[in-house]
């Protein structure tokens, strides 16, 4: 069976326009052919304070080992960014998803994020003064592209991901990626 | 040895921890760094120093930069890529009033591709969990520290640690591997990618 190693870091989030500290939960999603042999395919970063250049450093390590029987469902990474304010409340400020490249070697990936917007005026006023946000009940909208038409969203910042991919024995099974 | 008998590969990392950049300026006369290396269960160090401490350094012409030029040289052997070595750099300062204080932690992944890599990583400092702790840190000049900085390399069980970032550490490392490709691993980017990245 072919193997895929994902090594790297979730480096930072930038331009999120939040004043409180941010953290993110991430999870890797892959097709039924893929199994995780070692590593943590989901997790949560530290909660970082916004620094002088408006970014939040997470520097969260990733080390995941996949074994696969087929290329369908190549791994994707899903992010859910939340903010944590000074009195300990937290709410979601961004969703993002990106498919990992099927190319060995180092990559720098910017994942652009979005968040559902308040739909009514009262919600908008409440969120402006008190904080809080709408969140998705079914979070598979993030990685599936279905049923998105009625969703109203707002653009948020981006997350920088630095990963190196190592592929093993793919060419032995006739997979052509180069 | 026949190709079918190869079970483990060797990787060698050589380079140096070049410098630390603190954009607000360096206010300590004596700064030093410590590095530790963390690796997975299938890995074993073969030679070289996997942890160390630098000299006491101060900034020069550039008031934002402290040059350490601390050499790194290690060889690892492994049967599995998972658990690739990472370095944790701790920047500390010695100060006549408060003594030895923490300035930040920085986490690097050793380069998984061959060739020379110049990378920089941000310095991260834990923040006190309570307002009183924050106030005491400000008053005494001693910031909270991690009991075991190696937890940063595992990425789990951080229990929503609050951090702030400030400055960066720059490391140049070159990697040479042996038998990694014979074991079927492919870590080299295709030619079209190396051309488009460098242009």
């Amino acid at each position: 069976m072919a193997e895929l190693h994902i090594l790297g870091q979730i480096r930072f989030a930038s331009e999120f326009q939040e004043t409180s500290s941010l953290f993110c939960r991430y999870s890797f999603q892959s097709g039924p052919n893929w199994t995780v042999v070692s590593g943590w395919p989901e997790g949560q970063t530290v909660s970082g304070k916004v620094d002088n250049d408006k970014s939040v450093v997470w520097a969260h390590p990733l080390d995941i080992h996949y074994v696969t029987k087929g290329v369908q469902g190549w791994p994707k990474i899903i992010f859910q960014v939340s903010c944590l304010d000074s009195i300990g409340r937290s709410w979601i400020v961004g969703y993002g998803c990106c498919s990992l490249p099927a190319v060995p070697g180092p990559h720098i990936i910017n994942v652009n994020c979005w968040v559902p917007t308040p739909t009514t005026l009262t919600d908008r006023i409440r969120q402006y003064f008190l904080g809080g946000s709408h969140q998705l009940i079914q979070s598979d909208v993030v990685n599936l592209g279905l049923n998105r038409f009625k969703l109203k969203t707002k653009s948020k910042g981006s997350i920088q991901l630095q990963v190196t991919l190592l592929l093993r024995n793919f060419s032995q099974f006739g997979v052509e990626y180069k | 040895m026949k190709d079918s008998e190869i079970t483990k590969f060797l990787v060698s990392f050589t380079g140096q921890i070049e410098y630390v950049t603190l954009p607000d300026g360096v206010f300590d006369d004596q700064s030093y760094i410590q590095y530790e290396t963390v690796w997975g269960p299938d890995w074993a160090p073969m030679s070289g120093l996997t942890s160390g401490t630098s000299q006491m350094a101060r900034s020069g012409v550039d008031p934002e930069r402290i040059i350490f030029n601390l050499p790194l040289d290690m060889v690892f052997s492994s049967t599995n890529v998972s658990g690739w070595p990472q370095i944790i750099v701790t920047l500390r300062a010695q100060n006549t009033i408060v003594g030895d204080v923490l300035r930040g932690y920085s986490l690097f992944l050793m380069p998984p591709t061959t060739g020379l890599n110049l990378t920089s990583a941000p310095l991260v400092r834990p923040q006190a969990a309570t307002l009183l702790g924050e106030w005491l840190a400000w008053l005494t000049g001693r910031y909270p520290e991690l009991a075991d900085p190696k937890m940063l390399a595992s990425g789990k069980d951080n229990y929503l640690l609050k951090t702030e970032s400030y400055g960066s550490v720059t490391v140049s490392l070159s990697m040479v591997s042996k038998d990694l490709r014979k074991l079927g691993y492919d870590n080299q980017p295709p030619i079209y990618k190396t051309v488009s990245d460098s242009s």
Side-chain angles (χ1 to χ4, degrees):
Chain A
M1 287 201 284
E3 295 172 36
L4 171 70
H5 286 273
I6 301 158
L7 302 167
Q9 281 186 0
I10 302 172
R11 300 196 79 196
F12 58 82
S14 56
E15 307 284 324
F16 262 89
Q17 294 151 342
E18 300 289 333
T19 46
S20 38
S21 59
L22 296 179
F23 64 96
C24 102
R25 287 170 199 272
Y26 65 91
S27 72
F28 282 86
Q29 299 278 321
S30 51
N33 289 331
W34 298 73
T35 31
V36 175
V37 180
S38 59
W40 308 96
E42 40 194 75
Q44 181 171 295
T45 65
V46 295
S47 166
K49 200 173 151 184
V50 182
D51 66 10
N52 297 340
D53 26 309
K54 289 179 187 165
S55 57
V56 173
V57 169
W58 288 324
H60 188 87
L62 297 174
D63 184 342
I64 291 155
H65 182 186
Y66 272 110
V67 166
T68 180
K69 288 180 277 188
V71 289
Q72 297 97 324
W74 195 275
K76 279 181 181 182
I77 180 165
I78 293 161
F79 294 101
Q80 181 185 305
V81 184
S82 305
C83 76
L84 180 69
D85 73 1
S86 53
I87 53 170
R89 298 181 302 168
S90 82
W91 62 88
I92 287 165
V93 297
Y95 290 101
C97 169
C98 93
S99 170
L100 290 168
V103 178
H107 301 276
I108 288 180
I109 305 164
N110 282 305
V111 185
N112 298 308
C113 296
W114 51 268
V115 72
T117 48
T119 40
T120 59
L121 186 67
T122 46
D123 279 347
R124 201 173 297 178
I125 294 167
R126 188 186 296 133
Q127 290 188 13
Y128 182 83
F129 288 105
L130 299 175
S133 69
H134 286 318
Q135 71 178 70
L136 299 175
I137 295 172
Q138 291 174 314
S139 58
D140 52 352
V141 174
V142 181
N143 59 324
L144 283 174
L146 285 168
N147 301 329
R148 281 203 184 197
F149 182 66
K150 285 185 178 168
L151 190 63
K152 291 189 176 64
T153 65
K154 186 185 167 195
S155 309
K156 295 299 273 187
S158 62
I159 301 169
Q160 197 193 71
L161 197 65
Q162 188 181 39
V163 287
T164 303
L165 300 179
L166 273 88
L167 278 68
R168 188 186 187 192
N169 293 342
F170 273 89
S171 17
Q172 206 174 304
F173 294 97
V175 179
E176 292 150 349
Y177 55 87
K178 260 190 183 174
Chain B
M1 192 188 272
K2 275 189 283 186
D3 279 6
S4 57
E5 288 169 12
I6 296 169
T7 53
K8 64 181 187 181
F9 60 85
L10 294 170
V11 277
S12 151
F13 303 101
T14 48
Q16 52 272 341
I17 301 176
E18 298 279 7
Y19 52 81
V20 170
T21 314
L22 299 172
D24 298 345
V26 180
F27 301 106
D28 300 302
D29 272 352
Q30 292 186 315
S31 305
Y32 67 102
I33 49 176
Q34 291 174 316
Y35 71 90
E36 286 178 282
T37 318
V38 180
W39 55 82
D42 300 325
W43 289 73
M46 302 297 282
S47 74
L49 295 169
T50 54
S51 65
T53 310
S54 77
Q55 74 276 26
M56 291 286 169
R58 61 187 291 183
S59 55
V61 181
D62 185 348
E64 296 176 359
R65 180 180 288 190
I66 317 166
I67 295 176
F68 287 101
N69 195 246
L70 181 68
L72 297 173
D73 187 353
M74 29 192 135
V75 180
F76 287 93
S77 84
S78 177
T79 51
N80 186 358
V81 165
S82 186
W84 196 271
Q86 298 180 82
I87 304 184
I88 295 165
V89 178
T90 311
L91 175 69
R92 307 185 67 90
Q94 285 200 343
N95 180 315
T96 45
I97 306 161
V98 278
D100 192 84
V101 286
L102 173 79
R103 286 284 176 259
Y105 301 105
S106 189
L107 176 70
F108 289 91
L109 178 72
M110 294 290 215
T113 48
T114 52
L116 182 67
N117 294 267
L118 184 74
T119 47
S120 62
L123 276 163
V124 165
R125 190 163 66 186
Q127 273 186 294
T130 58
L131 204 63
L132 177 69
E134 217 164 299
W135 183 75
L136 278 172
W138 178 81
L139 196 72
T140 57
R142 296 182 69 88
Y143 292 94
E145 298 182 18
L146 296 176
D148 182 18
K150 286 185 178 176
M151 68 157 291
L152 290 172
S154 76
K156 55 179 173 57
D157 301 338
N158 56 34
Y159 299 115
L160 211 53
L161 176 76
K162 284 168 87 178
T163 60
E164 58 186 328
S165 68
Y166 155 77
S168 64
V169 182
T170 303
V171 172
S172 76
L173 276 172
S174 70
M175 189 278 250
V176 178
S177 59
K178 179 184 183 293
D179 295 336
L180 188 66
R181 287 176 211 170
K182 270 189 196 152
L183 284 168
Y185 288 106
D186 185 354
N187 60 351
Q188 284 311 102
I191 297 154
Y192 71 84
K193 191 160 186 303
T194 46
V195 170
S196 65
D197 281 356
S198 59
S199 62

